[in-house]
Amino acid sequence: MLRNALQTNATDHVPVLADEVRELLAVQPGETVVDATFGAGGHAALLAADLRGRGKLIAIDRDPGAREYFDRFAKRTPVQTRFLRGTADVILGQLADNGVEAHAILLDLGVSSMQIDRPERGFSYAVDAPLDMRMDTSADVTAAGIVNEADERDLATIFRRYGEERYARQIARAITRRRKEQPFERTGDLVETIRAAIPAPARFGDGHPAKRVFQALRIAVNDELGSLEAALPAAFSMLRSDGRLGVISFHSLEDRIVKRFMRDLERGCDCPPDFPVCVCGKQPELRALSRKPVRPSVAELAVNPRGASARLRVGVKV
């Protein structure tokens, strides 16, 4: 099943949870589908294949580098396609305001393989590169700017809140000391500082010692959680009745936001729990297709280990 799905892909990118996305979004010929985080186009290729030559696929991405992947994708797919550059929350809101409706919308959160595999973008702690991390390369805020300009308390807050980093305070202190001598410009310099700031046993614990700080900086640079909070209601407002919204998250902070958003729409009534009867009159607006997030199978992880932390939630508009 996974092998067949990957063969359908029109790019070199291996999309996470490919079969599960196709099954739960259940795209049919003639529908309008939105890939709101196009990236390298892996999921878009699969969803376009399910349209079977009839329908429309709208691709959205904030990264200007996604355009070359889209152009290659558009040449290979027989369905009508359109590329819109910008953040998902803004573009989805504009489409909804203009009366555009979708049968299925997918949000694949976090950094894409397209970005990780280009060292010059500065997303990876495994390769020495400029300390950048911007998904939109025209944006003003960079990881170097935050690391060199934020005060120690703010740095610790960023590392703790967005990276759930246990040694946030120690790392922030080490960074502020190091930048007095020389500003941070390279990812390698930051990795060395992080490694030296944490206790020796922790350097050999759960993965690379810099992964949580890099995650936190990436989220802060791109305002990922704020964009997600705004994108979810924008996507939902664009959906037709019985439309499907799928969201793939890669860490607990994202999944928590998605879970809360869907649960609130499922519940409908928001009367205080001690009220004997409902007086607000609100009805459920969404039906989740699974109570727990869908995770990659063992077979998929053998092919695509990068998807180990992926979690998929899908809801149907009712």
Side-chain angles (χ1 to χ4, degrees):
M1 185 78 173
L2 176 63
R3 183 178 304 165
N4 291 337
L6 297 179
Q7 288 173 346
T8 310
N9 185 10
T11 73
D12 295 328
H13 171 55
V14 179
V16 68
L17 291 164
D19 290 325
E20 291 82 357
V21 165
R22 295 180 76 176
E23 178 182 354
L24 294 173
L25 287 187
V27 170
Q28 301 297 316
E31 292 188 333
T32 296
V33 180
V34 180
D35 186 341
T37 45
F38 182 79
H43 286 111
L46 298 171
L47 298 175
D50 289 337
L51 290 173
R52 299 182 183 178
R54 294 188 292 114
K56 179 189 297 185
L57 190 140
I58 300 172
I60 301 170
D61 206 288
R62 67 166 72 179
D63 193 323
R67 182 70 202 220
E68 65 179 271
Y69 290 90
F70 173 80
D71 290 341
R72 198 163 69 205
F73 156 78
K75 291 178 181 178
R76 299 178 179 179
T77 179
V79 303
Q80 182 181 351
T81 59
R82 183 182 180 189
F83 180 80
L84 299 171
R85 187 189 159 203
T87 58
D89 56 323
V90 171
I91 301 298
L92 290 170
Q94 291 173 345
L95 290 171
D97 290 343
N98 289 325
V100 180
E101 293 185 322
H103 298 83
I105 299 176
L106 176 66
L107 288 161
D108 183 7
L109 307 177
V111 66
S112 72
S113 295
M114 170 193 72
Q115 293 159 336
I116 293 177
D117 293 338
R118 294 185 173 181
E120 69 274 12
R121 303 296 298 275
F123 286 101
S124 176
Y125 43 74
V127 180
D128 184 45
L131 190 55
D132 193 320
M133 301 193 194
R134 290 174 297 174
M135 293 179 178
D136 178 355
T137 52
S138 66
D140 295 328
V141 179
T142 66
I146 292 177
V147 168
N148 289 317
E149 297 170 15
D151 63 33
E152 182 178 326
R153 179 178 296 179
D154 288 342
L155 284 175
T157 299
I158 289 171
F159 301 157
R160 187 180 304 109
R161 178 179 299 167
Y162 299 146
E164 301 178 299
E165 172 55 60
R166 179 180 179 185
Y167 301 103
R169 188 169 57 181
Q170 294 92 318
I171 294 170
R173 184 179 302 119
I175 286 173
T176 53
R177 288 175 180 171
R178 159 68 165 72
R179 73 188 186 191
K180 290 178 182 178
E181 302 173 3
Q182 184 178 1
F184 286 90
E185 297 180 354
R186 311 282 299 181
T187 57
D189 297 331
L190 181 58
V191 169
E192 289 180 5
T193 302
I194 295 169
R195 183 178 283 113
I198 63 178
R203 300 172 198 167
F204 307 98
D206 183 21
H208 195 285
K211 71 175 185 178
R212 293 185 179 86
V213 169
F214 271 62
Q215 171 186 297
L217 285 172
R218 192 200 78 223
I219 290 173
V221 166
N222 299 287
D223 188 26
E224 293 179 35
L225 299 186
S227 294
L228 175 60
E229 293 269 15
L232 291 171
F236 190 75
S237 67
M238 188 182 170
L239 281 180
R240 297 167 56 99
S241 179
D242 292 329
R244 291 82 65 195
L245 172 61
V247 186
I248 301 174
S249 59
F250 288 87
H251 55 76
S252 60
L253 298 175
E254 293 173 336
D255 185 59
R256 210 171 294 146
I257 292 172
V258 178
K259 177 182 177 180
R260 183 175 65 245
F261 174 79
M262 291 191 174
R263 290 260 174 105
D264 287 347
L265 290 176
E266 271 194 296
R267 184 173 61 247
C269 174
D270 59 7
C271 293
D274 58 342
F275 275 32
V277 295
C278 173
V279 296
C280 71
K282 291 184 179 180
Q283 298 296 315
E285 299 178 72
L286 177 139
R287 174 173 55 86
L289 296 187
S290 63
R291 301 313 307 169
K292 294 183 178 180
V294 178
R295 306 296 293 268
S297 66
V298 174
E300 176 177 356
L301 293 179
V303 177
N304 185 18
R306 282 184 177 177
S309 60
R311 309 169 192 182
L312 169 66
R313 295 183 186 271
V314 179
V316 179
K317 190 171 186 175
V318 299

